[in-house]
Amino acid sequence: MKKVLLPILVVSLTLSNCTTIINGSRQAVSVLSRPTGAEVYVDGQLSGKTPMWANLKRKDNHTIKVVMDGYKPYEAALTRKVDAWLLGNIVFGGVIGLAVDAITGSMYKLTPNEIKARLVDGDTNLTSAKRTKEGIYLVVTMQPDASWEKIGTLERLK
């Protein structure tokens, strides 16, 4: 009887302290966009529309792409980092707990855990925007709206 109970006790104590129990092998990542209703691609596969939660495997790095007609696509990389809960295995769980966490990927935490995509109009190049001392943003566009008032022209430096 002792030969059966002792291994069961050891395994149950070991597994009860692993991050697999605390975190699980997947992590929910919030994906938001402005404007809402943009398509969300996770690792190249359409997953839904914003706002949404993407339920991702912790053991893999992921790429999130947010796309909407008329707007430039937004892309973010999710990377895995070792979760602090893993220290519980080092102290209490031992080798079996570490092995379970490594196999399931629950020893990792994906960062960032929230994606906030601010989609930029496809005709505007906000990457060229500069903030001046007065707090004015200068934006360059290749297709100006006909209703805009022209207040200046950029010239090449010689």
Side-chain angles (χ1 to χ4, degrees):
M1 183 72 161
K2 288 182 182 178
K3 289 182 181 180
V4 174
L5 289 178
L6 184 59
I8 291 172
L9 179 64
V10 169
V11 170
S12 65
L13 285 174
T14 301
L15 293 179
S16 67
N17 292 311
C18 64
T19 56
T20 301
I21 302 297
I22 294 168
N23 290 334
S25 62
R26 294 183 163 267
Q27 179 177 330
V29 175
S30 169
V31 184
L32 308 168
S33 72
R34 182 177 279 170
T36 61
E39 293 179 337
V40 177
Y41 291 83
V42 178
D43 301 326
Q45 299 292 319
L46 180 62
S47 293
K49 291 190 174 194
T50 61
M52 66 168 284
W53 289 91
N55 194 19
L56 306 175
K57 290 182 181 179
R58 290 176 179 269
K59 67 180 178 178
D60 300 324
N61 291 323
H62 300 279
T63 302
I64 305 279
K65 191 170 187 176
V66 182
V67 179
M68 182 177 253
D69 285 342
Y71 295 88
K72 292 187 178 185
Y74 177 92
E75 195 166 316
L78 294 166
T79 56
R80 65 181 193 180
K81 296 184 179 181
V82 175
D83 194 340
W85 281 107
L86 187 65
L87 293 175
N89 270 341
I90 295 170
V91 176
F92 301 108
V95 176
I96 295 173
L98 285 171
V100 169
D101 290 343
I103 291 167
T104 63
S106 65
M107 66 188 279
Y108 299 108
K109 177 181 179 181
L110 294 172
T111 57
N113 64 354
E114 182 178 64
I115 303 295
K116 291 182 179 178
R118 185 167 186 170
L119 300 177
V120 177
D121 182 11
D123 293 334
T124 305
N125 183 4
L126 285 181
T127 58
S128 66
K130 304 289 183 207
R131 186 169 179 104
T132 65
K133 290 180 183 178
E134 294 80 24
I136 297 173
Y137 286 93
L138 302 175
V139 179
V140 177
T141 181
M142 301 307 286
Q143 298 174 339
D145 188 308
S147 67
W148 293 353
E149 180 183 343
K150 182 177 178 180
I151 59 170
T153 303
L154 295 176
E155 296 178 8
R156 283 187 190 263
L157 295 175
K158 296 180 182 179

